[in-house]
């Protein structure tokens, strides 16, 4: 999208009540909405701003945002072998409780307007970290049905008003929400055929979790120097 | 007369027409479908979660395995999201190579689709014809990347290497005489571009061949015309993209509307259907193959006359040349850091999308500034198409379910992810 269109869109978004923040970054616009206003804002976007299509829906778990395993500041380097990411979690490990005041779960909606040829990202932070609930947009865009089921399945975000909120991708009888950051990468159970019992049984995993490259954050200023498509640098 | 009751039918996951591992629970009223409930996830590998535990450049290979019949297009969506967050430019020659391979991939995908769709509906021979051409295109994959399917060829900032000057040759063996091998090697004597040009000269004739077999075929039309009709309004509501959306009469193609790489310099047309049934979608995809062929020809012409770098010179992102590493300390450090740690992206979010053979393929990337993605979400076009299966098959006969699955061009690698 070109710069004019972006500015036009971000000013027209200001007129919609219920949008708490508009962020422009890398040539994209993100509008932050609270769960209470989501339905009204989404309806207004579809009917008055011609966002006919919901392209994608994505749930994000922010509980480990900014966590690293490898300190590079100060003097020298750490070895980077301390557990600190989901890659190193294994079955039965104690997972620290998320006790931050910040909302843990967010849902991002990618909208597309064919008429105006532009995109918009809606972002909703669920209020309750223990039981995240976001209203369902199935009545506004019918295609939200499956993506919402997927987000519920993988991330445990509940969608209020969804017609059929079942698990979608995981196995029948699966326990837990695998894409949450506190779910180990190697999983909790593994299954095999037991010749004695003559059936498939579930057991705790025996795979050793391993991380080949530790997670590290370095401050890079690359984008600010080269990017001219962004209207202004975003906060996130 | 016995009373006919509703009953539930289990279709798949080992049904040959289920295109992989689709389990479909059908509620039938006699032979008419009342409700279809697709059970997916049998191929769920957690690609997005795996990506969170690996540096950015190690995930490119996983992208191939999403939609495993249009490999390079998946990589393209992924590397574009990274490039967007990094804010780096791709060299012009690399952009042309990417466009060319995107279109080769589109042909590969559509050939696979026409073969499988034909097989489902009863046109057995289509499969053999389609795979004859696929073979040549996969040789192009092999020539540039060394792998026939999972290429891992695109890189943030360009492509892995330049086009080769020679093609792999056939050898005479117990099963192939020297004369036969020689005949097969005729087109392979020059560079990869020569081979591809020879293919693009032949290919429109091949599409004509498929069309003589199918387009006016009475059985083919009986099975497809008026089946799985989707109105333009519903197509938008259901999140359709690509050929599924164009088949319903909406002219929308990201290559034209939101051009990326060098698509704005290419001449091609967007075919659009009128009825929104399976037959229209068939016609749209057939025409797309001809248009892709046109784009490939234009790319070949440009690539022949213009040389240049194919990967960014920024060695924080792309490895330095091998020869440089031997004598230059800086290059050696760059190489070491790139392969042991990868590169960090600035914090932020980006959504990059491309016109994938099946529709809009997008990658939503959330970065917190680390060398691994914080969250990667893949927008797979087939996911939304399959979700609409219930609506498309309601009121149709059981045998039409197979035709609708075929027309949706479903691949489970991308739906289950």
């Amino acid at each position: 999208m070109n710069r004019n269109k972006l500015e036009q869109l971000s000013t027209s978004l200001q007129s919609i009540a219920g949008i708490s923040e508009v962020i422009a970054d890398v040539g994209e616009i993100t509008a932050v909405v609270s769960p209470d206003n989501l339905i009204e804002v989404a309806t207004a976007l579809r009917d008055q701003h011609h966002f006919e299509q919901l392209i994608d829906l994505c749930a994000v778990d922010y509980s480990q945002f900014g966590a690293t395993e490898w300190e590079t500041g100060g003097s020298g380097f750490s070895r980077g072998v301390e557990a600190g990411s989901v890659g190193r979690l294994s079955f039965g490990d104690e997972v620290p409780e998320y006790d931050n005041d910040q909302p843990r779960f967010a849902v991002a909606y990618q909208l597309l307007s064919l008429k105006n040829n532009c995109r918009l990202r809606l972002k909703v932070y669920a209020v309750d970290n223990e039981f995240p609930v976001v209203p369902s947009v199935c009545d506004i865009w019918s295609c939200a049905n499956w993506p919402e089921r997927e987000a519920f399945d993988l991330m445990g975000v509940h969608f209020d008003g969804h017609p059929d909120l079942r698990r979608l991708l995981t196995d029948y009888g699966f326990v837990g929400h695998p894409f949450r950051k506190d779910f180990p990468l190697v999983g909790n159970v593994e299954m095999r055929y037991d010749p004695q019992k003559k059936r498939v049984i579930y057991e705790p995993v025996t795979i050793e979790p391993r991380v080949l490259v530790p997670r590290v954050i370095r401050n890079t200023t690359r984008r600010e120097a080269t990017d001219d498509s962004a209207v202004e640098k975003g906060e996130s | 007369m016995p009373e006919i009751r509703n009953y539930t039918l289990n279709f798949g996951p080992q049904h040959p027409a289920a295109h992989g591992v689709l389990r479909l629970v059908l509620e039938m009223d006699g032979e008419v479908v009342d409700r279809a409930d697709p059970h997916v996830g049998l191929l769920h590998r957690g690609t997005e979660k795996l990506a969170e535990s690996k540096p950015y450049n190690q995930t490119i290979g996983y992208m191939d395995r999403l939609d495993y019949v249009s490999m390079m297009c998946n990589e393209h969506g992924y590397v574009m999201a990274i490039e967007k967050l990094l804010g780096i430019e791709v060299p012009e020659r690399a952009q042309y190579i990417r466009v060319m391979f995107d279109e080769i991939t589109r042909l590969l995908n559509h050939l696979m689709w026409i073969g499988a769709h034909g097989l489902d509906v009863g046109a057995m021979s289509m499969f053999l014809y389609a795979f004859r051409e696929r073979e040549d295109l996969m040789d192009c994959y092999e020539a540039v990347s060394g792998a026939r399917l999972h290429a891992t060829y695109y890189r943030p900032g360009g492509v892995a290497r330049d086009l080769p000057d020679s093609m792999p040759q056939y050898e005479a063996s117990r099963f192939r005489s020297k004369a036969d091998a020689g005949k097969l090697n005729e087109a392979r004597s020059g560079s990869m571009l020569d081979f591809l040009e020879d293919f693009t000269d032949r290919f429109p004739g091949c599409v004509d061949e498929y069309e003589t077999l199918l387009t006016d075929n009475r059985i083919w039309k009986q099975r497809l015309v008026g089946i799985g009709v989707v109105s333009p309004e519903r197509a938008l509501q259901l999140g359709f993209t690509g050929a599924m959306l164009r088949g319903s009469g909406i002219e929308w193609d990201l290559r034209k509307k939101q051009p990326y790489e060098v698509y704005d310099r290419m001449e091609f047309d967007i075919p659009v259907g009128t009825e929104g049934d399976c037959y229209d979608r068939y016609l749209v995809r057939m025409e797309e193959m001809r248009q892709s062929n046109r784009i490939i020809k234009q790319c070949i012409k440009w690539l022949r006359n213009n040389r240049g770098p194919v990967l960014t010179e920024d060695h924080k992102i792309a490895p330095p040349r091998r020869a440089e590493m031997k004598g230059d300390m800086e290059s050696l450090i760059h190489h070491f850091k790139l392969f042991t740690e990868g590169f960090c992206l600035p914090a932020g979010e980006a959504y990059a999308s491309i016109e994938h053979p099946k529709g809009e393929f997008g990658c939503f990337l959330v970065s917190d500034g680390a060398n691994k993605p914080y969250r990667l979400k893949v927008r797979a076009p087939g996911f939304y198409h399959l979700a609409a299966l219930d609506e498309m098959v309601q009121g149709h006969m059981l045998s039409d379910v197979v035709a609708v699955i075929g027309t949706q061009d479903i691949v489970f690698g991308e739906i289950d992810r």
Side-chain angles (χ1 to χ4, degrees), chain B residues 6-292:
Chain B
N6 277 15
Y7 54 95
T8 311
L9 195 72
N10 193 31
F11 181 102
Q14 276 105 348
H15 192 285
H19 285 212
V21 287
L22 169 64
R23 180 176 172 219
L24 204 55
V25 179
L26 298 166
E27 271 171 37
M28 309 289 295
D29 177 13
E31 213 184 323
V32 177
V33 180
D34 261 356
R35 197 175 87 99
D37 182 20
H39 288 211
V40 299
L42 285 96
L43 205 61
H44 178 65
R45 294 148 295 179
T47 305
E48 292 156 1
K49 178 109 175 169
L50 283 169
E52 287 170 15
S53 68
K54 290 187 167 45
Y56 285 97
N57 47 8
Q58 290 183 16
T59 304
I60 304 170
Y62 283 114
M63 292 295 128
D64 286 312
R65 284 141 183 93
L66 287 174
D67 181 354
Y68 44 76
V69 294
S70 31
M71 296 69 71
M72 286 201 197
C73 284
N74 304 337
E75 293 170 23
H76 198 171
Y78 176 66
V79 297
M80 263 181 37
I82 297 175
E83 283 158 8
K84 204 169 187 181
L85 267 181
L86 278 173
I88 52 170
E89 290 291 318
V90 180
E92 200 177 11
R93 188 173 165 86
Q95 295 193 20
Y96 272 94
I97 292 177
R98 281 184 181 184
V99 166
M100 187 172 84
F101 270 97
D102 273 12
E103 296 308 317
I104 289 177
T105 308
R106 198 177 311 278
L107 290 182
L108 273 173
N109 178 78
H110 283 8
L111 285 169
M112 179 74 209
W113 157 79
I114 188 67
H117 190 26
L119 200 62
D120 290 350
V121 174
M124 302 286 268
S125 48
M126 275 316 299
F127 203 72
L128 305 173
Y129 283 103
F131 267 64
R132 184 186 61 187
E133 270 71 62
R134 262 175 72 87
E135 190 65 27
D136 286 343
L137 293 172
M138 285 199 286
D139 283 347
C140 293
Y141 260 53
E142 190 184 347
V144 292
S145 70
R148 285 160 58 82
L149 286 172
H150 301 305
T152 326
Y153 180 54
Y154 291 17
R155 294 282 187 283
V159 292
R161 57 183 191 152
D162 208 343
L163 303 172
D165 292 325
S166 63
M167 285 294 289
Q169 307 276 319
Y170 280 106
E171 278 170 20
S173 68
R174 220 145 46 92
F175 310 103
R176 187 179 285 126
S177 71
K178 216 167 183 177
D180 281 350
K183 207 183 269 173
L184 285 167
N185 285 337
E186 256 171 41
R188 288 158 205 271
S189 50
S191 71
M192 197 216 107
L193 284 177
D194 295 331
F195 176 73
L196 195 60
E197 189 161 39
D198 175 68
F199 176 82
T200 51
D201 291 337
R202 273 185 288 129
F203 189 64
C206 298
V207 182
D208 291 340
E209 221 169 65
Y210 312 149
E211 289 222 59
T212 41
L213 278 171
L214 295 178
T215 304
D216 290 322
N217 184 316
R218 191 154 51 98
I219 307 169
W220 184 252
K221 284 180 98 166
Q222 277 171 350
R223 291 296 304 274
L224 295 191
V225 175
I227 303 297
V229 179
V230 184
S231 69
E233 296 77 33
R234 284 310 291 167
L236 285 176
Q237 267 285 313
L238 292 169
F240 281 13
T241 45
M244 297 288 288
L245 186 62
R246 292 192 283 276
S248 293
I250 294 174
E251 191 198 343
W252 182 261
D253 190 318
L254 291 178
R255 293 175 294 170
K256 278 267 194 239
K257 304 285 176 182
Q258 299 177 359
Y260 47 96
E261 311 298 1
V262 289
Y263 273 114
D264 47 350
R265 296 183 213 166
M266 297 291 155
E267 256 181 56
F268 62 100
D269 302 317
I270 312 174
V272 175
T274 50
E275 306 293 324
D277 60 359
C278 290
Y279 190 66
D280 271 18
R281 289 187 280 269
Y282 154 75
L283 291 175
V284 165
R285 289 201 176 100
M286 290 311 258
E287 185 55 30
E288 274 185 19
M289 286 207 260
R290 293 178 198 276
Q291 298 300 332
S292 292

Side-chain angles (χ1 to χ4, degrees), chain A residues 25-26 28 30 46 52-67 69-70 86-87 108 110 112-114 117-119 121 123 140-143 146-147 149-150 154-155 166 168-169 172 178-181 183-185 211 213-218 220 222-223 226-227 233 236, chain B residues 23 37-41 44 46 48-50 52-53 55 58 84-88 234-241 245 250 252 254 257-258 314 316-317 337 340-341 344-351 353 360 364 366-375 377 379 383-384 386-387 415-417:
Chain A
D25 193 15
V26 291
E28 294 174 13
T30 310
R46 185 194 64 181
E52 303 99 340
Q53 267 197 316
L54 173 70
I55 283 291
D56 191 28
L57 187 153
C58 166
V60 187
D61 172 4
Y62 278 103
S63 62
Q64 299 283 319
F65 199 75
E69 297 172 304
W70 199 10
V86 285
Q110 320 283 345
L112 172 68
S113 163
L114 277 73
N117 193 9
C118 59
R119 291 179 189 275
R121 177 162 50 245
K123 215 163 168 197
I140 300 166
W141 296 285
S142 342
C143 64
W146 271 31
R149 277 176 68 185
E150 186 196 323
L154 301 179
M155 212 58 107
R166 285 177 292 154
L168 182 68
L169 290 174
Y172 306 110
F179 277 23
R180 286 190 174 186
K181 290 284 178 183
F183 192 95
L185 182 69
V211 173
V213 181
R215 185 179 174 82
V216 59
I217 291 184
R218 288 180 190 279
T220 160
R222 185 185 309 279
R223 181 149 48 94
T226 51
D227 184 37
K233 182 91 178 60
S236 61
Chain B
R23 180 176 172 219
D37 182 20
H39 288 211
V40 299
H44 178 65
E48 292 156 1
K49 178 109 175 169
L50 283 169
E52 287 170 15
S53 68
Q58 290 183 16
K84 204 169 187 181
L85 267 181
L86 278 173
I88 52 170
R234 284 310 291 167
L236 285 176
Q237 267 285 313
L238 292 169
F240 281 13
T241 45
L245 186 62
I250 294 174
W252 182 261
L254 291 178
K257 304 285 176 182
Q258 299 177 359
D314 185 344
K316 294 267 189 287
I317 294 159
K337 285 309 279 180
T340 53
E341 186 188 306
C344 291
L345 256 60
E349 298 173 352
Y351 176 79
S353 57
E360 175 177 332
F364 176 51
V366 181
S367 165
D368 58 351
N371 57 342
K372 303 173 181 183
Y374 185 75
R375 174 86 164 98
K377 174 73 170 63
R379 194 267 178 199
F383 185 75
Y384 293 83
L386 185 65
I415 290 167
D416 294 346
R417 278 161 289 152

Side-chain angles (χ1 to χ4, degrees), chain A residues 16 40-51 115-116:
Chain A
I16 304 176
E40 291 138 54
V41 171
T43 316
L45 283 172
R46 185 194 64 181
D47 295 338
Q48 280 132 45
H49 296 262
H50 305 287
F51 284 99
K115 186 160 180 274
N116 300 330

Side-chain angles (χ1 to χ4, degrees), chain A residues 10 12 16 21 32 34 40 55 60 110 138 142 158 164 167 169-170 172-173 205 208 215 229 233:
Chain A
S10 54
S12 70
I16 304 176
E21 194 184 354
V32 184
S34 80
E40 291 138 54
I55 283 291
V60 187
Q110 320 283 345
C138 276
S142 342
H158 294 257
D164 179 27
R167 282 185 179 269
L169 290 174
T170 48
Y172 306 110
V205 279
E208 287 287 318
R215 185 179 174 82
S229 62
K233 182 91 178 60

